[in-house]
Amino acid sequence: MSAEGARPPLADACSLLYDNESWRAYLERFTPHAPEYLDVFSRSWARFFGVPHDRYRAALDDGGAEQAIGTLLPPGRPPIDLDALLAERAAQGVVAEIALGSMARLPDGSTVNDRLLAGTAAYRRPGRERVWVWAGLTLGGTDDPLAELSRTAAAGARGLCVIPFLDGVEADDPRFTPVFGAAEDAGLPVWLHTGHHFAAGRPTGLGSWRLVETLARRHPRLVIVAGHAGWPDVMEMLLTAARHRNVYLEFSSHRARTMPAPGSGWAPLLHHARSLARHRVMFGTSAWVNPQPVGVLADEVIALGLAEEITAEWLGGTALRLLAAEPAAS
């Protein structure tokens, strides 16, 4: 399989398809809970939004998060052309996008989930779907995540997204059992942020493989996609998937070209590619972290030199089979 012109179908299991207001809401979620993200990823933010890094850096250092976000998303910034974006990605081989949402509020009172569902409606036609919206839920906040689950599922959401380190809660706390139980009963998969995070004020263990293990035992029919594959505890997450048939690993934010390097933490995934990991791994971009064209990131997976059928599984096959499973009636 050559990298150019021979990519298998790509499914992005961590796609962010936001308009300008939704991006602002996304960035502002970091401000109170994980401001380190605006610093650690300063070059990524600047490149993704097309702003000179020194200008963004000066805004962050001199004016803080609000000024830095304003530099990335100034008043009058041209609207994002979703049609053009999706056409460009389709030209690189993307056939499916799992678009992750959020309960964050927008100026008109709606949520990012609402805006995402409305903006992608043309790409969610039954039988011709290109985009699957997985609505974001906030656990432990003032808004009711169970009500949001029901509301967004009725509006067309096909899955859910939970980020424990931003919520500052243990997602396996029994008080959230009704939320995950409702997702299980409705056949709604959950993308769960797992592994390392940079929020210095939040415990390291939020989103560990142990959380996935607990949720998988408690809700055996619930499909759990471990976002970022639980890195650096990839072996533990892979073994969790081996014990629970509905657990998958998704490696967005990490570039495949770094995986073979000694000490990268990805050796278990490559070592077990033909066995444990064969049908349990998904490709994702989380585009702002590594703002390269999606085809570049996919070609790095191809360059790993795995068997063609395994590469095809990781890049799209596994996710497409998951997406083809219809959820139960709400």
Side-chain angles (χ1 to χ4, degrees), residues 98-146:
I98 296 176
L100 305 182
S102 164
M103 284 177 69
R105 292 285 173 182
L106 299 174
D108 65 2
S110 67
T111 67
V112 173
N113 290 331
D114 296 324
R115 187 70 57 85
L116 186 57
L117 284 162
T120 61
Y123 298 92
R124 296 188 291 103
R125 295 170 183 158
R128 299 175 56 194
E129 288 158 305
R130 162 72 186 282
V131 174
W132 283 256
V133 173
W134 289 16
L137 300 183
T138 299
L139 303 182
T142 56
D143 292 325
D144 181 1
L146 188 56

Side-chain angles (χ1 to χ4, degrees), residues 1-3 5-15 86 88-98 129-132 251 281-285 292-303 308 310-321 323:
M1 182 188 300
S2 63
R7 297 183 192 114
L10 307 180
D12 186 349
C14 185
S15 183
L86 289 174
E88 177 186 352
R89 289 166 65 83
Q92 298 174 71
V94 180
V95 300
E97 318 251 0
I98 296 176
E129 288 158 305
R130 162 72 186 282
V131 174
W132 283 256
F251 58 83
V281 176
M282 301 183 192
F283 171 75
T285 61
Q292 286 77 22
V294 62
V296 171
L297 300 176
D299 287 347
E300 292 180 1
V301 179
I302 294 171
E308 288 189 16
I310 295 171
T311 300
E313 280 291 297
W314 289 15
L315 286 177
T318 296
L320 289 171
R321 278 197 305 279
L323 294 173

Side-chain angles (χ1 to χ4, degrees), residues 218-231:
R218 190 177 291 165
H219 307 283
R221 292 178 290 113
L222 177 66
V223 172
I224 301 172
V225 178
H228 316 319
W231 185 90

Side-chain angles (χ1 to χ4, degrees), residues 53-75:
H53 180 247
D54 57 353
R55 186 192 305 170
Y56 172 78
R57 196 67 251 181
L60 182 63
D61 294 341
D62 298 339
E66 182 177 354
Q67 188 168 320
I69 294 172
T71 301
L72 299 176
L73 294 161

Side-chain angles (χ1 to χ4, degrees), residues 115-283:
R115 187 70 57 85
L116 186 57
L117 284 162
T120 61
Y123 298 92
R124 296 188 291 103
R125 295 170 183 158
R128 299 175 56 194
E129 288 158 305
R130 162 72 186 282
V131 174
W132 283 256
V133 173
W134 289 16
L137 300 183
T138 299
L139 303 182
T142 56
D143 292 325
D144 181 1
L146 188 56
E148 183 74 355
L149 182 158
S150 299
R151 190 182 69 83
T152 54
R158 301 288 294 276
L160 304 167
C161 164
V162 175
I163 305 178
F165 84 87
L166 278 180
D167 297 343
V169 299
E170 298 282 359
D172 57 355
D173 188 305
R175 63 188 163 134
F176 304 126
T177 296
V179 176
F180 291 102
E184 180 182 29
D185 290 342
L188 297 173
V190 177
W191 185 97
L192 193 68
H193 185 288
T194 63
H196 179 68
H197 65 77
F198 290 94
R202 297 285 166 84
T204 298
L206 295 178
S208 77
W209 65 270
R210 292 180 175 85
L211 164 64
V212 176
E213 169 76 22
T214 299
L215 291 178
R217 283 191 292 106
R218 190 177 291 165
H219 307 283
R221 292 178 290 113
L222 177 66
V223 172
I224 301 172
V225 178
H228 316 319
W231 185 90
D233 298 324
V234 177
M235 186 75 252
E236 288 80 0
M237 192 65 79
L238 188 56
L239 291 175
T240 299
R243 287 192 297 274
H244 302 283
R245 64 190 300 267
N246 288 320
V247 172
Y248 298 85
L249 283 68
E250 177 276 310
F251 58 83
S252 64
S253 298
H254 298 272
R255 297 186 66 168
R257 70 177 187 179
T258 68
M259 290 181 177
S264 73
W266 292 100
L269 201 68
L270 302 181
H271 180 75
H272 294 286
R274 288 185 175 274
S275 54
L276 299 180
R278 187 184 185 97
H279 301 295
R280 296 302 186 90
V281 176
M282 301 183 192
F283 171 75

